[in-house]
Amino acid sequence: MTDTVVSSATKEVVIGFDRPFCVIGERINPTGRKLLAAEMAQGDYSRVRSDALAQVEAGAHMLDVNAGIPMADEPRILAEAIQLVQSLTDTPLSIDSSIVAALEAGLAVYKGKALVNSVTGEEERLEVVLPLVKKYGAAVVAISNDETGISEDPDVRFEVAKKIVQRAADYGIPYKDIVVDPLVMPIGALGNAGKAAFSLIRRLREELKVNTTCGASNISFGLPNRHGLNQSFLAMAIGAGMTSAIMNPLHPEEMTGIWGADVLMGTDAHCAHWIKRFREPAAEGDAAGGRGRRERSGRRGGGGASGGAAPETAGA
């Protein structure tokens, strides 16, 4: 079974086939967030700080850090954001940029083994990103598109992923350090997008033996009740073999779907995480009150087994 290990200076996270699903928090990204973009460009990282802490509190195992701001010094901002986040939490990071200089700036200051987001199947991109991944001993997200764009045919996307895995091997990067994004399409535009994604995830797992990730909310783009649909998608994708997602952990619907899937897939041993999250604490005096009720019930029922059992079950 394939394990992809990423780490901070003091904490290791493993993305793997037989591991709990890995949630990669997406919130530290100025794309579509004008206020965050303006603040980061001015060197104000207060919102980065709060977003980082909130996502970890909500259950994120990793955090994606992006500084894609037009006309800004992205390498400097990305490096500063990474240093700040690493000073706040030991959660491992995904370093996210389409600019190679920014990726290198982030990797140069990162403490641990990062996840680089991302490389595509484009030759130009492969030739500049893969050497960086090797140089810094990182893992990398491989996105299943190339010079021809994003194919609607999942078989084509599989072949692009296979090409990236093979090219990475040429640079000495093992398949266990590659996490493939099969590119989940919006179900509102392509009615077979869900079935296609699940089929492709299974092939990536069984044939290439790689871990997988995706932008989880892509599936529900343009539809109402997106969180409900995302929840269903995530649970089914985990059943198909997906091992991580870049997503917003602040939405309880999606997180509940993931935690439930972990239980049902057997990666939450003894349901321990589920119980910790959802068991209501006993109110003060409940134990004594419950005992008193059972004793009284036993007296009324003559002490028979059935007379004592029902109240105990109800009070459990």
Side-chain angles (χ1 to χ4, degrees):
M1 295 298 181
T2 303
D3 282 344
T4 302
V5 179
V6 291
S7 67
S8 63
T10 58
K11 183 177 182 179
E12 186 176 274
V13 168
V14 183
I15 305 171
F17 293 175
D18 294 322
R19 305 277 182 166
F21 190 75
C22 181
V23 175
I24 305 172
E26 69 180 6
R27 292 281 295 165
I28 306 174
N29 188 333
T31 304
R33 300 181 66 190
K34 292 183 180 180
L35 186 56
L36 177 62
E39 289 175 349
M40 292 179 72
Q42 295 167 8
D44 178 358
Y45 298 108
S46 56
R47 202 171 300 269
V48 170
R49 176 188 298 270
S50 60
D51 279 344
L53 295 175
Q55 290 182 104
V56 172
E57 176 66 21
H61 305 100
M62 295 180 62
L63 299 177
D64 187 80
V65 181
N66 181 296
I69 304 166
M71 308 300 291
D73 185 354
E74 186 173 338
R76 175 186 61 80
I77 296 170
L78 184 59
E80 290 176 354
I82 286 169
Q83 289 174 307
L84 170 66
V85 174
Q86 287 211 290
S87 74
L88 298 171
T89 175
D90 61 357
T91 302
L93 304 184
S94 166
I95 299 176
D96 185 355
S97 181
S98 60
I99 297 176
V100 175
L103 288 177
E104 180 145 34
L107 286 164
V109 301
Y110 186 76
K111 297 177 181 178
K113 179 179 178 180
L115 177 64
V116 171
N117 188 8
S118 58
V119 68
T120 67
E122 299 165 279
E123 285 298 326
E124 181 179 349
R125 190 77 178 166
L126 290 167
E127 291 172 3
V128 293
V129 175
L130 291 180
L132 271 184
V133 173
K134 179 62 177 179
K135 176 182 177 180
Y136 288 96
V140 63
V141 174
I143 299 182
S144 303
N145 70 283
D146 58 15
E147 292 87 352
T148 65
I150 301 173
S151 174
E152 293 184 7
D153 185 343
D155 290 335
V156 172
R157 299 205 297 277
F158 177 85
E159 290 302 322
V160 174
K162 183 177 180 180
K163 170 188 172 181
I164 297 172
V165 171
Q166 292 171 340
R167 290 294 301 277
D170 293 340
Y171 286 92
I173 301 168
Y175 68 89
K176 68 180 182 179
D177 281 339
I178 300 170
V179 182
V180 173
D181 182 344
L183 292 172
V184 173
M185 311 297 276
I187 193 77
L190 295 171
N192 69 338
K195 291 175 64 177
F198 304 145
S199 175
L200 183 49
I201 289 164
R202 291 187 188 97
R203 288 194 69 191
L204 291 167
R205 176 175 176 137
E206 294 168 4
E207 297 180 39
L208 294 187
K209 303 187 187 306
V210 292
N211 284 301
T212 46
T213 194
C214 72
S217 64
N218 288 353
I219 193 73
S220 64
F221 182 78
L223 293 176
N225 191 15
R226 294 189 67 183
H227 301 310
L229 186 55
N230 294 343
Q231 180 186 44
S232 296
F233 168 74
L234 282 162
M236 294 182 71
I238 292 168
M242 191 168 71
T243 49
S244 69
I246 301 171
M247 54 176 287
N248 186 347
L250 304 184
H251 296 307
E253 298 97 326
E254 282 94 325
M255 295 299 288
T256 300
I258 288 168
W259 295 328
D262 280 344
V263 170
L264 297 173
M265 294 298 292
T267 56
D268 181 1
H270 310 295
C271 309
H273 183 264
W274 183 270
I275 293 169
K276 183 179 178 181
R277 280 277 175 179
F278 296 109
R279 172 174 281 170
E280 295 182 4
E284 188 175 350
D286 271 4
R291 184 166 59 252
R293 284 192 298 271
R294 287 194 294 274
E295 290 169 353
R296 288 191 298 272
S297 177
R299 285 194 298 270
R300 285 194 301 268
S306 62
E312 183 174 355
T313 302

